């Protein structure tokens, strides 16, 4: 998809995907930015990562989150199942449920910061809609977990 396309002609998915592509062109690895921002906003999350091997775990978790975002922005083939599985597996670790939404929002904030003036009102609206839909899936997964517990 050409990035020069008029933003008003782009779909939610195209806007989100294009913003991630532009962010990736500016930053080889979002992992440090995302986790620095997460730990600054929610210091309690830092203790959730062991010292040894945490860089790999952080990168893996961010990769899964980005895959979910891209799937939601596109075909929506697998993200809902991945979210259900992640909510359930994190339940065993005692991860607070609200951190899923926090994490997705932190990613969006990092992308917005990387894009600067290229973060348009249309891009903001697309991300807000996508984040709301992701949040709905997280809440559905939490509800399903509570029903089966």
């Amino acid at each position: 998809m050409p990035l020069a396309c008029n933003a008003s002609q782009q779909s939610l998915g195209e806007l989100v995907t294009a913003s991630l592509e532009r962010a990736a062109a500016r930053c080889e690895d979002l992992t440090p930015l995302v986790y620095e921002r997460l730990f600054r906003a929610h210091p309690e999350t830092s203790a959730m990562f062991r010292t040894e091997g945490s860089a790999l775990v952080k990168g893996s978790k961010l990769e899964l989150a980005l895959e979910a975002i891209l799937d939601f922005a596109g075909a929506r083939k697998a993200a809902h199942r991945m979210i259900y599985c992640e909510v359930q597996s994190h339940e065993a670790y005692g991860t607070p449920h609200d951190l899923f939404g926090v994490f997705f929002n932190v990613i969006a904030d990092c992308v917005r910061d990387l894009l600067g003036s290229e973060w348009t009102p249309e891009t903001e609206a697309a991300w807000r809609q996508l984040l709301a839909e992701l949040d709905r899936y997280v809440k559905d997964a939490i509800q399903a977990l509570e029903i089966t517990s």
Side-chain angles (χ1 to χ4, degrees), residues 105 108-109 112 119 123-133:
N105 277 281
D109 291 343
R112 183 193 64 231
W119 183 268
T123 303
E124 174 72 22
W127 270 96
R128 290 299 137 215
Q129 183 178 341
L130 182 91
L131 291 169
E133 292 174 19

Side-chain angles (χ1 to χ4, degrees), residues 29-95:
D29 184 5
L30 281 175
T31 308
L33 295 176
V34 167
Y35 282 94
E36 286 170 17
R37 186 179 210 114
L38 176 66
F39 295 160
R40 200 171 45 249
H42 295 272
E44 72 281 7
T45 60
S46 179
M48 295 177 176
F49 294 89
R50 62 177 191 249
T51 306
E52 197 172 313
S54 70
L56 291 174
V57 172
K58 290 174 188 172
S60 175
K61 289 187 180 304
L62 179 58
E63 184 178 348
L64 282 173
L66 289 169
E67 286 175 11
I69 289 168
L70 288 169
D71 186 61
F72 260 76
R76 296 192 181 195
K77 291 183 178 182
H80 59 286
R81 287 187 292 280
M82 187 274 297
I83 289 170
Y84 271 65
C85 291
E86 289 299 309
V87 167
Q88 291 180 353
S89 69
H90 282 74
E91 178 73 12
Y93 297 117
T95 303

Side-chain angles (χ1 to χ4, degrees), residues 109-146:
D109 291 343
C110 287
V111 172
R112 183 193 64 231
D113 289 352
L114 284 167
L115 295 187
S117 63
E118 289 183 46
W119 183 268
T120 65
E122 292 85 4
T123 303
E124 174 72 22
W127 270 96
R128 290 299 137 215
Q129 183 178 341
L130 182 91
L131 291 169
E133 292 174 19
L134 282 166
D135 189 55
R136 183 176 53 84
Y137 269 83
V138 169
K139 287 178 178 165
D140 288 350
I142 292 165
Q143 185 178 18
L145 182 64
E146 290 170 352

